[in-house]
C-alpha cells in the first residue's frame, strides 16, 4: 500500500471510486474486476470493501459486491460531493468517533430531505442497521423535521424507533435553504449532554462553508 493510499484523502477518493463503479454496475461485481476498473491493488480494494460493508454501504454475496439497499441516494452524490458535505464530513466523523453516535447531514429540498453524509457510530449499528438508520432519519416524526419546523435544536426520544434517541440542529446555509446536523444514539445512552457539542459542530460547519464560499 502506497503512502498516497494510506492518506485519509486517498482512502476517501478510492472508496468513492469503488462506489461509482458499483452504482453504474447492473449486477454484483467481483473484487478482482473492481480493483482492475478502479486501478487499485486487489488487497487494497478488498480492504476498503470490507470497511464499507461494516458501515452498511456495500454488501457481499457469493464473493460478489453490490451497493447496500437504501444507499442509492448517497451513490448518486458520490460523483460530485456537495461543498457542504465536503467541509462537514471531517467534523461529523470526529464527533461520531468521540461519542459512538451516528451523525447525519441533510439538506432541505422542497418537501423532501437530501442526504449528504452519514457517519455511522459503532454503538448505534448494534441497534439499527445503517440502511434502516437512513430511512428513520427522514421519518415525519424525526428530530430533523422538528428542527426545521422550529428553527432551533430539537430532540425526539424513541418516537421513530423504540431503541434510539435523536437530536438535530438546523444550519441556515449562505446559499439559501437549511441544512440539519443530526446525532442518534441508542436509548441506553443519553443525548442531553451532547446538545451543546452538536450545536458547536453545526456552527463550525457553517463557518467552514462560509470560508469555502469565499
Amino acid at each position: 500500500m502506497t503512502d498516497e493510499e494510506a492518506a485519509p484523502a486517498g482512502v476517501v477518493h478510492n472508496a468513492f471510486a469503488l462506489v461509482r463503479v458499483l452504482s453504474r454496475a447492473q449486477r454484483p461485481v467481483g473484487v478482482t474486476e473492481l480493483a482492475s476498473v478502479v486501478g487499485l491493488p486487489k488487497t487494497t480494494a478488498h480492504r476498503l470493501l470490507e470497511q464499507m460493508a461494516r458501515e452498511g454501504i456495500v454488501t457481499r454475496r457469493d464473493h460478489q459486491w453490490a451497493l447496500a439497499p437504501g444507499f442509492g441516494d448517497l451513490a448518486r452524490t458520490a460523483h460530485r460531493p456537495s461543498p457542504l458535505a465536503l467541509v462537514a464530513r471531517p467534523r461529523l466523523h470526529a464527533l461520531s468517533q468521540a461519542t459512538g453516535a451516528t451523525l447525519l447531514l441533510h439538506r432541505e429540498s422542497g418537501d423532501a430531505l437530501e442526504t449528504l453524509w452519514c457517519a455511522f457510530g459503532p454503538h448505534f449499528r448494534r441497534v439499527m442497521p445503517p440502511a434502516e438508520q437512513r430511512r428513520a432519519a427522514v421519518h415525519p416524526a424525526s428530530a430533523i423535521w422538528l428542527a426545521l419546523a422550529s428553527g432551533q435544536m430539537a430532540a425526539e426520544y424513541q418516537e421513530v424507533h423504540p431503541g434510539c434517541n435523536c437530536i438535530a440542529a438546523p444550519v441556515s446555509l449562505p446559499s439559501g435553504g437549511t441544512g440539519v446536523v443530526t446525532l442518534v444514539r441508542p436509548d441506553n445512552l443519553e443525548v442531553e449532554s451532547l446538545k451543546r457539542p452538536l450545536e458547536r459542530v453545526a456552527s463550525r460547519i457553517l463557518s467552514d462553508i462560509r470560508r469555502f464560499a469565499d
Side-chain angles (χ1 to χ4, degrees):
M1 183 173 173
T2 66
D3 290 341
E4 181 180 352
E5 291 167 354
V11 171
V12 171
H13 172 81
N14 293 336
F16 271 121
L18 291 168
V19 167
R20 284 194 292 269
V21 173
L22 290 173
S23 70
R24 293 193 295 265
Q26 301 299 311
R27 55 174 176 79
V29 184
V31 66
T32 300
E33 182 179 349
L34 283 169
S36 176
V37 172
V38 175
L40 290 174
K42 182 177 177 179
T43 53
T44 301
H46 186 267
R47 176 179 52 79
L48 284 171
L49 289 164
E50 292 283 358
Q51 291 174 343
M52 289 192 290
R54 289 194 291 271
E55 296 295 331
I57 298 170
V58 299
T59 59
R60 178 176 58 184
R61 184 175 182 181
D62 297 331
H63 305 291
Q64 304 285 304
W65 295 90
L67 288 179
F71 193 72
D73 54 342
L74 293 184
R76 286 190 290 272
T77 66
H79 295 275
R80 293 189 301 272
S82 73
L84 178 58
L86 285 171
V87 301
R89 67 190 184 192
R91 298 196 183 277
L92 298 179
H93 179 73
L95 187 56
S96 177
Q97 292 297 302
T99 62
T102 284
L103 271 293
L104 306 106
L105 176 66
H106 289 84
R107 179 169 54 201
E108 188 177 20
S109 181
D111 295 330
L113 288 172
E114 179 185 2
T115 304
L116 299 180
W117 196 258
C118 303
F120 296 108
H123 291 326
F124 197 48
R125 281 199 299 268
R126 294 193 290 268
V127 177
M128 188 188 299
E132 190 177 345
Q133 292 183 45
R134 286 189 289 270
R135 290 192 296 270
V138 298
H139 187 282
S142 73
I144 296 176
W145 287 114
L146 296 174
L148 287 170
S150 66
Q152 58 189 9
M153 170 75 70
E156 76 67 14
Y157 304 95
Q158 304 177 56
E159 292 292 330
V160 173
H161 188 280
C164 68
N165 298 322
C166 177
I167 54 177
V171 180
S172 296
L173 303 175
S175 59
T178 306
V180 185
V181 183
T182 308
L183 182 148
V184 192
R185 275 184 133 190
D187 65 343
N188 64 322
L189 297 173
E190 56 84 31
V191 294
E192 291 297 315
S193 65
L194 296 177
K195 286 185 175 180
R196 290 289 296 279
L198 186 66
E199 286 182 325
R200 284 196 296 269
V201 164
S203 176
R204 288 167 181 168
I205 288 172
L206 179 58
S207 297
D208 291 343
I209 196 65
R210 283 172 174 163
R211 284 197 299 271
F212 188 94
D214 293 339

